[in-house]
Amino acid sequence: MRMATGLGGRDIRLYNKNRVLKYIYRSGGTTKQHLVEALGMSLPTVLQNIKELLAEELICELGQMESTGGRKAMVIAPVAGVRLSVGADVRKSHVQLTMIDLTGAVIHSRQMSMPYRNIPAYYAWLGETIHDFLREADADEAKVLGVGFSIPGIIEGDMITDSHALGIRAVPTRAFCEHVRLSASFINDANAAALAEIHAEDSLDTFAYLSLNDCVGGSIVLKRRMYMGDNCRAGEFGHMRLMPMGRACYCGMEGCVDAFCAAPVLAEHASGNLDAFFSMLGQGDAECAILWNNYLDALAISVNNLRMAFDCPIVLGGEAGGYLTDFLDAIRLRAGRINTFGRDGSYLHTCKCRRHASALGAALTHVDRFFMVDRTM
């Protein structure tokens, strides 16, 4: 989290209060002394913030820790369900809804099949579906911070300027939330998945996230913040040229990473079902094996290019990325073979958030806002 310069007294108090609250929720429970040591605050400042947060019922006292000699320390812990957030990952054929609490834990999740159409009836259905989802989860709307919408496309300000996956251009974001009685935020699906990975992954502060969904996208994470670029298009790894004069890409160019590494490259061999493809692969299907071998070659070149550009860990995510853990050693080996500076592919990782990462990340936008955390740069 960044702290702006020139904060007034009230802003500094709010900043410190949110630091205390965030630490308690991220740790799952701590003590006053641990807060003093971890946050570098004075004991009176910590005590005052705890007093206020207890009064607001955002934290609670669970009891005392086992004594190691001397007075037992009181455990300060999060309050389950005190605030909630919803993520809505809008896809071509369905919408994934995920509800989380302030710890990022998933409270309720559901997927609804509905082809996307840029018409009023679809947006009315979307709003009704979200509120039905809240009622189904028995969620008090007063506790819901908002709905985060994950969109597979480029979002600039309050406009979705282009989404090949949804087949739209220049659609105002308000169309998606006009029937939702809650605060709304919008984020690109790959950035949303990367945000979920930031929250799930404690060992990597900086990494490039390669999203292998229906379209290939990505995100650049620097010190736990996402680099957005001049036009909010940073991380469009799917349109790096992998092979000049290669396969046609939907963007009109040829040889893009997307044409070789998008999830449908594999799924289309199994009637559009990615799970079925990997099942067939595991059963020794010869055609699947050939396709998989070619896919791995293209993926290895792609991740090696990212490694050369950023010299940081690469995380494989998205729908296809969730299947790659069992193949990680093979992918590392292929990538290492073409690495100019060595044969070590250990920089390559698979995502920790393997299911519904974009919906989770979209919900986390409101949690970060609640904790006053800015994840963009």
Side-chain angles (χ1 to χ4, degrees):
M1 180 174 71
R2 290 180 291 174
M3 181 173 179
T5 57
L7 289 178
R10 181 180 180 279
D11 291 331
I12 291 175
R13 287 194 296 273
L14 181 60
Y15 171 81
N16 285 333
K17 183 176 176 180
N18 273 276
R19 287 183 68 207
V20 171
L21 181 62
K22 180 188 173 189
Y23 187 89
I24 292 170
Y25 270 83
R26 289 289 288 171
S27 66
T30 188
T31 66
K32 298 168 186 176
Q33 188 57 43
H34 284 158
L35 284 166
V36 170
E37 295 169 358
L39 301 180
M41 293 182 182
S42 67
L43 181 59
T45 298
V46 167
L47 293 177
Q48 178 60 34
N49 283 306
I50 288 176
K51 179 181 177 181
E52 293 178 11
L53 292 169
L54 285 169
E56 295 172 27
E57 299 183 342
L58 289 171
I59 61 174
C60 63
E61 295 179 329
L62 277 186
Q64 295 177 324
M65 298 181 66
E66 290 296 323
S67 176
T68 57
R71 186 176 179 180
K72 293 181 179 180
M74 181 67 68
V75 176
I76 310 298
V79 175
V82 67
R83 294 289 188 277
L84 303 168
S85 181
V86 174
D89 183 26
V90 179
R91 297 285 170 175
K92 183 179 181 180
S93 62
H94 67 271
V95 174
Q96 173 65 44
L97 295 178
T98 297
M99 178 184 293
I100 63 173
D101 63 14
L102 290 180
T103 68
V106 175
I107 305 300
H108 190 50
S109 186
R110 185 181 175 193
Q111 185 178 111
M112 279 72 65
S113 296
M114 174 63 76
Y116 172 78
R117 296 178 66 191
N118 184 23
I119 58 175
Y122 176 86
Y123 299 120
W125 169 85
L126 182 59
E128 181 180 354
T129 297
I130 289 171
H131 286 287
D132 284 346
F133 175 76
L134 294 174
R135 287 189 288 271
E136 183 181 278
D138 196 26
D140 181 356
E141 285 192 19
K143 293 183 178 181
V144 180
L145 299 171
V147 179
F149 289 88
S150 164
I151 305 293
I154 297 171
I155 304 169
E156 297 182 32
D158 59 0
M159 187 72 67
I160 300 167
T161 58
D162 189 14
S163 172
H164 168 75
L166 299 181
I168 55 175
R169 287 190 175 188
V171 173
T173 55
R174 66 175 181 274
F176 288 81
C177 61
E178 61 183 334
H179 297 283
V180 178
R181 301 185 301 272
L182 295 162
S183 174
S185 63
F186 290 83
I187 185 172
N188 165 269
D189 63 328
N191 285 335
L195 179 56
E197 200 68 17
I198 291 171
H199 279 258
E201 175 58 79
D202 290 328
S203 64
L204 299 178
D205 286 339
T206 295
F207 58 91
Y209 184 89
L210 181 62
S211 176
L212 304 169
N213 271 331
D214 288 346
C215 299
V216 174
S219 188
I220 304 164
V221 177
L222 305 175
K223 302 299 182 183
R224 306 186 74 78
R225 290 164 55 199
M226 290 182 290
Y227 173 71
M228 303 303 293
D230 292 342
N231 302 292
C232 296
R233 293 196 291 268
E236 286 291 338
F237 303 141
H239 298 294
M240 298 189 304
R241 304 295 289 278
L242 187 62
M243 188 180 300
M245 307 302 292
R247 295 177 190 170
C249 179
Y250 70 82
C251 71
M253 299 296 182
E254 294 177 334
C256 293
V257 170
D258 193 283
F260 293 88
C261 296
V265 171
L266 302 175
E268 286 174 0
H269 187 72
S271 301
N273 189 318
L274 199 58
D275 190 59
F277 170 84
F278 281 100
S279 177
M280 293 165 63
L281 181 66
Q283 293 169 13
D285 183 280
E287 290 186 15
C288 282
I290 294 172
L291 182 60
W292 179 238
N293 186 66
N294 293 336
Y295 184 90
L296 288 183
D297 283 343
L299 182 60
I301 295 171
S302 300
V303 298
N304 183 66
N305 288 344
L306 293 177
R307 178 67 172 180
M308 293 300 102
F310 298 110
D311 192 28
C312 70
I314 312 298
V315 176
L316 301 175
E319 186 179 6
Y323 289 86
L324 299 183
T325 299
D326 291 341
F327 305 95
L328 183 57
D329 287 344
I331 301 171
R332 282 175 168 172
L333 181 62
R334 290 186 187 231
R337 286 173 181 163
I338 57 175
N339 190 309
T340 303
F341 303 110
R343 297 294 180 261
D344 182 13
S346 62
Y347 65 85
L348 197 57
H349 305 263
T350 52
C351 57
K352 290 197 172 182
C353 293
R354 298 174 188 169
R355 290 181 57 80
H356 314 319
S358 293
L360 175 59
L364 284 167
T365 61
H366 289 280
V367 172
D368 276 351
R369 186 175 298 169
F370 182 79
F371 287 127
M372 296 176 61
V373 177
D374 185 355
R375 293 291 186 190
T376 63
M377 62 182 296

